[in-house]
Amino acid sequence: MRLYRSHVLVGMDTFTLLAGARKVKEHLIRQIEKRGLSDEIKVLETGSLGITNRGVVLLIYPEGCYYVNVKPEDVPEIVEEHLLKGRTVQRLLFKGELERKAVALPESPLDVRRQSRVVLQNCGVIDPENIDEYIGRGGYEALERALFQMKPQEVIEQVKRSGLVGRGGAGFPTGLKWEISAKVASEEKYIICNADEGEPGTFKDRVIMEGDPHRVIEGMLLAGYAVGANKGFIYIRGEYALSIQRMEKAIKQAYEYNLLGSNILETNFSFDLEMRKGAGAYVCGEETALIESLEGKRGEPRNKPPYPGTCGLWGKPTVVNNVETLANIPSIIVKGADWFRSLGTKETPGTKLYTILGHVVNQGVIEVETGITLRKIIFDYGGGMKNGREFKAALVGGAAGCFLGKDMLDVKMDYTTLKSYKAVLGSGAVLVMDTSTCIVDMLRCILDFFKRESCGKCVPCRMGTDRLYRLIVDISSGKGTKDHPKLMLELAQMMNKASFCPLGQSVLLPLSSAFKYFEDEVMEHILDKRCPAGVCKMGEK
Amino acid sequence: MVSLTIDGKPIKTKKGSTILEAALDNGIEIPHLCYHKGLSVAGACRLCLVKIKGRPGMVASCLTEVAEGMEVIAFDEEIDETRRLIVELILSEHKHDCLVCEKNGQCELQDLAYRLGIDRVRFSVEKPNEELDNSSEVILRDPNRCILCGRCVRSCAEIAVQDVLKFANRGSEMFIIAGLNQLLAETDCVFCGACVQACPTGSLTEKLARFQGRSWEFRKVRTTCPYCGVGCQIELNIKDDRIVKVYGVEEGPENKGHLCVKGRFGFDFVHHEDRLTTPLIKRNGEFEEASWDEALDLVATKFSQLKQKYGSDALAGLSSAKCTNEENYLFQKFVRVCFGTNNVDHCARLCHSSTVAGLSRAFGSGAMTNSIREFEKADVILITGSNTTENHPVIGSLLKHVARYKGVKLIVVDPREIELTGYATIWLRQRSGTDVAWINGLMNVIVNEALYDEEFIKSRTENFEEFKKVILKYTPDRVEKITGIPKRKLIEAARMYARAKKASIVFAMGITQHITGTDNVLSLANLAMLCGNVGKEGTGVNPLRGQNNVQGACDLGALPDVYPGYQKVSDPKIREKFERAWRAKLSPKEGLTVVEMMNAASEGRIKVFT
C-alpha cells in the first residue's frame, strides 16, 4: 500500500456539490499533477465534513485543517502554499467566524473531534463510494460476528440491552420492535429502512447516507438476521439525489462482495435489498403510509393495530427502522450493549444526531451523547446566535415539534426528559429563532406545511389543517378576532384526539406551545393589528 | 360470543366483530359516515370515535374489535363535542344545498347534522361550486355534495370491482376522479350504480330520478329484478304509480344490494309509450282498441271453434320464465285443461334445456347445486361457457371480488379473451365445440395422478370402472390435438381443480348450445363428482340461467312432458291424480316442444298459439 504525505478530503454532500465541489476536486487533481505531487498527496471524496452553508469544504490531513468557501480559482494557492510549502491559507481557513467571544471555542465549532461520533464515525473520513474503505474501518465486522458467533435471538438481546430507541421520532425501543417480528412465524418478513426524511429542518439521515452508506446496509442486514427476514427495502426520499446514488452504489458493491444476496459469507443467511424512491409526501414518513406507498398504493396511513411488526408490507411481519437507528446497530454488535449504555443518559443511552439550523452561526448536523442541553447545542456547537441578536425560541423536532422558550434552554434534549415537559425530540431538528422572527409568521409557515402535507383521508386532519391555516392567515393579515386563538386551539385539540395518524395529531404541539410562550405577541396581532417583529404584512391577505 | 357493555348496556356479540357493528346490531346508533355495511372499513370520518375504559384517548369504533369485558363509552360530552366539530368541518367544506337535493330526507349527513344539533357553522365555505358531471345517461355526479368518505371508491373497487372512482390529490385539495380525471361516460364505468347506492349524500344520484319525487313521497315495493337469472332483490321507489328509482336490497341473499345497469336503471320500458295498455283487435287490417271483455270473448270463441274443428293438439301455448310461479302454474293448467293438450313449453327450452337434461340425469335436478354466495367459500372456481361479467354482471362482479379479495383461484375455459380471463389464474383456450374433450382431458389427468375422491366415488357414484375406460383414452397429448389447449396448462388446471378443498364449476350457454350440449353438462357433472365436489358448501355444478324464474317455470310444469313438480304426463297414475284435482280429462300424450311447435305451425298442424 502506498503511503501519502498528505490527504485532501473533499466533502461531497448536497450542499458542497451545489457549490461546485466536483469542479474544485478536478482542479485539485490537475494542480497536484502539475506540481508533480501525485505520488505524495492523495485527493479523496468523502461525505459531509460537518460544516454546512460554507460552500466547498476541504479537510487536509495530517494537519486536520478545514478550508471553506473554496472556489476553483483558490486551488492553485492551496496547492502552492499549503501542500507544497506547508503554509496554511489563512483567508480560507475555517475559524468558526464567531462574533460573540464570550463562548470560548476551538477553531472549528462543529469540530468532529469534540463530538461523540458513533453513527458518523466514518463520515468525512472515508470515501463513501468505496466499500473497501468501510471495511478498512471495521465495516461488516458486526455482520460477520453476528453470522458466525451469535444466534439471531442473541443479536436481539444485545440490541435490547443496549437500550437503543428509534431515532425517527417516536422513540420506540428497537430491540423490542425486532423481537415482536422475530416471534411471528412467517416465511416472509421484511426490513424497511425509513429514509424518507421529510421533517422540515432535518437532514441528518442524508448526511449518514451520503457519508457512510454501508453502515445503513449493515444495520439492515443485522436486523434481517435477527428477525429472520430475507428482504429489505430502503424507502428513500426522492429528492435525495446524492444519497440515492451513493446507496445504489453501495448496494451494488455489497452484492459484489456477497454481503448481500444468497448465502452471505457462505452461511445460510440470504438477504436482498432494494431501494424505492418516495414521491415527496411527508405522510409517507409514517410507517404504515410508507408501507402503503411501497405496495404501490396511495400514501395513506393504515389503522393500527395491527402494527407492521406483525402485519406490515404485503401483510407480512415488517420492521421499519429509521436510518440513524440502523446505523447505530453495527457498533452495538461490535462494541457491546454495555459500551452503548455508557454513552448518553440512562433512559436513552447512546448518541443523537441533531440538525442545527436557523439563526445560529454554525448550521449543520452534529452527533453528541444524549442529554445535551439546548443551550449547549445552540451556544456551543451552534456557535451562538447569529448577528448578535437575542435568542427567542427554538422549534425542536421539526414542524411536528414544539416551541421551546428561554426557560427551556437548560433542559436535556432527550426523549424521556422532553416528554416530561410535554415536548418531543422528534427527528432532532433544532430550528433556532432570534428576535427578528415573528411567531405568528412561523405558525403560518408550519400550518401551511401541514395543510399541504395532510393526505386528506380523515376529516379532522384534511379539514382541520385547512381551517387552521386560514385562521392564522387571518391573524397575520390583521383580520383576526379574539375568538381566533380559542377556535384554533379547539380545532387542534380535536385533531389531536380524532385524527387518524400522527400527522393530524401533532399539529397541536407547535400551536399550543407557540400560544403558550408568545400569547402576547399573538394578541398584539389581533388587538393592535401590529406585528412586533415587523414580519407580517397587516392588511394584506 | 363476546360480552361487553356500551354505555353500561350489556351486549353479546360474535367474536371478531367491531364495536360499531356490535352497537348497530343492538340498536345503538353510533354516528358514522364512511362506514357502510359490506364495504371494507376506512376509519376516515372519525365520527364513530368512542372511549374504552382503561385505554387512553378515543378509538374509531369501526376499526376496533370487541373484546371480552370491554367497557365502551359511546356518548359523553367530550365525544359529542368532537363529533359536532367534525360535522361542522364537513359542512364547511362545500355548499350543502338541501333545497333541491335528491337525497333530502334520506341524507346521512343531513340526518347527522340534525341529530347533533349543528345550528351554526363557524367556518366559511371557500370552495367554488364545481360543474356537475352529466355525461352518463344514468348517474349524475355532483362534486359539490361530496364529503370524501370514499364509500363510492370502495364500492367501485370492492363490489363492482371496476376501479373507476379513485381519490386524487391530497389534503384539502383532495377530490374524487373518474378514470384519469375524465367524464364518467368516458371511463370504464359499467354504470352499475354501486357508487350511487353507497353514497351517503346527494353527490351520486340517479339521473333519471332527478326532480321526479322526494324521498318521503315514495311507496316502496320489494321485488325480484326482471332480467337475468341471478335473482337480485330490488326495491322500487314508486310515486303516483310510476317507478322513479330502484335500490338494491342490502339484505338480498344473492346480490346484497348490488345491481347491474339493467336492474338499477333499466326500468323505463315499464312506462314506455309503445307499450299496450288496452287490448287491440284487428278489424279490416287495422288494429283497433277494444275492451277486455270484447277481446276475451273474441279469443275464447275462436279458440273453441278451432279446437272443435282441428282437435286439441292443434292448440299450443308458450309460457315464460319471466313470469311468476302462479302465472306459470295457471298457464300450463289452462293449456292442459281448456285446450286439452300438453302443448305447453317456455323459453328455457332454448337455452338451458341441455343443462336440465344433463343435470337431471346426473343429480336429479337441473338447478344450481349451490347458492350464489357460496362462491365466496370456494378455493377454486372453474368457469366455462359464461362471459359472466357481460351476462350475469352481479355474479361477474362477485367472481372478480372473490378472485381479488378472497384469494379464490379462477380457471377460465373460454375461446375468447373475456374480462374474467384477466382475473383468472389459468385461462384455457379451447377450440369451439371441443368441450367434452378438454373436460375428459382434465379427468384423465386427475385419474392418472390419483387426485380423485375415492370415498365419494365409492359411496355416491356408479360405473366408475366403465367411466375410467373412456377417460383414459383422453390423454393430454390427444386432448391438445383436439382442443388446442397446451397439455402443460391442461395438467396444471386439472391439478388445481382436483387439489382444491372446495372447487366449484360455473357454466352458461357457451357450452349448452352445442350439439353436444347435454354431454358437455354431463361431463362437467362427472368432473365434479370425480373430485367429490358435490354436496359441500362452496362446490358443485352451477349453471347460470338466463331468466329470473327459469326454475319456477320448470318446477310449475310449463313443460310438454311433465305436470308441476316434474310428474310425467305419460304416467296414468299421475294423470289420474291431476284429472281428479283439476276435474277435467287430460291428454295422455306428451306435448310439443317450442321448436316442434314452430315446425308444426309452419306445416299447418298448429292452428292456435298463445
Side-chain angles (χ1 to χ4, degrees), chain B residues 406-474:
Chain B
K406 308 262 173 178
V408 179
K409 289 181 179 138
L410 305 187
I411 302 171
V412 174
V413 191
D414 203 299
R416 297 187 302 155
E417 185 173 6
I418 55 174
E419 194 184 343
L420 278 184
T421 55
Y423 292 80
T425 308
I426 300 176
W427 170 28
L428 305 181
R429 206 167 192 181
Q430 81 277 38
R431 278 188 200 111
S432 197
T434 63
D435 297 304
V436 170
W438 67 257
I439 304 168
N440 281 351
L442 291 180
M443 294 194 280
N444 178 287
V445 177
I446 294 167
V447 168
N448 269 328
E449 300 192 2
L451 298 170
Y452 52 89
D453 185 338
E454 237 181 301
E455 180 56 38
F456 186 90
I457 289 166
K458 237 187 259 168
S459 58
R460 305 292 171 97
T461 65
E462 302 163 339
N463 294 335
F464 182 60
E465 287 309 315
E466 226 168 296
F467 157 85
K468 228 163 119 178
K469 272 182 217 156
V470 180
I471 291 308
L472 288 176
K473 289 181 201 155
Y474 285 86

Side-chain angles (χ1 to χ4, degrees), chain B residues 64-269:
Chain B
T64 312
E65 264 185 38
V66 293
E68 185 62 39
M70 196 181 245
E71 291 175 56
V72 177
I73 303 153
F75 298 92
D76 71 11
E77 207 171 310
E78 190 188 4
I79 298 172
D80 284 353
E81 272 309 313
T82 307
R83 287 179 185 150
R84 267 201 285 275
L85 189 49
I86 292 172
V87 173
E88 210 181 320
L89 284 175
I90 295 174
L91 288 172
S92 75
E93 192 160 19
H94 292 294
K95 204 169 136 241
H96 284 280
D97 183 1
C98 298
L99 285 179
V100 287
C101 183
E102 287 303 323
K103 273 293 182 75
N104 189 4
Q106 55 175 170
C107 168
E108 292 176 36
L109 177 63
Q110 194 186 48
D111 290 348
L112 207 54
Y114 187 84
R115 185 176 156 198
L116 297 174
I118 315 288
D119 51 2
R120 58 168 186 165
V121 174
R122 286 170 289 175
F123 313 99
S124 56
V125 179
E126 314 266 351
K127 276 194 185 173
N129 254 18
E130 285 189 50
E131 268 189 51
L132 309 188
D133 178 355
N134 208 4
S135 62
S136 155
E137 284 180 56
V138 290
I139 298 172
L140 186 77
R141 288 184 68 213
D142 182 351
N144 305 304
R145 291 184 173 130
C146 177
I147 57 167
L148 298 169
C149 65
R151 273 156 59 162
C152 57
V153 174
R154 278 174 283 145
S155 65
C156 194
E158 295 165 17
I159 295 180
V161 199
Q162 278 308 121
D163 302 310
V164 171
L165 298 175
K166 290 276 171 196
F167 286 113
N169 285 1
R170 66 182 188 214
S172 54
E173 308 280 311
M174 191 162 88
F175 66 105
I176 287 174
I177 50 167
L180 299 166
N181 203 8
Q182 296 152 294
L183 291 172
L184 197 58
E186 293 167 358
T187 66
D188 290 340
C189 178
V190 293
F191 307 108
C192 66
C195 53
V196 175
Q197 177 127 356
C199 182
T201 69
S203 187
L204 287 155
T205 51
E206 297 86 351
K207 193 167 158 187
L208 299 170
R210 245 189 137 201
F211 306 123
Q212 299 302 305
R214 321 302 302 259
S215 59
W216 54 85
E217 295 175 320
F218 297 131
R219 181 161 62 88
K220 293 183 176 157
V221 175
R222 180 171 164 174
T223 183
T224 304
C225 173
Y227 288 101
C228 76
V230 178
C232 296
Q233 291 298 296
I234 57 177
E235 184 190 73
L236 307 177
N237 284 242
I238 299 163
K239 186 190 169 192
D240 300 337
D241 288 334
R242 289 183 73 86
I243 301 170
V244 177
K245 58 179 148 189
V246 170
Y247 283 122
V249 176
E250 310 261 341
E251 298 78 32
E254 315 302 354
N255 59 313
K256 302 221 163 141
H258 189 38
L259 295 175
C260 70
V261 61
K262 285 172 153 186
R264 195 182 298 277
F265 301 112
F267 52 81
D268 46 342
F269 71 92

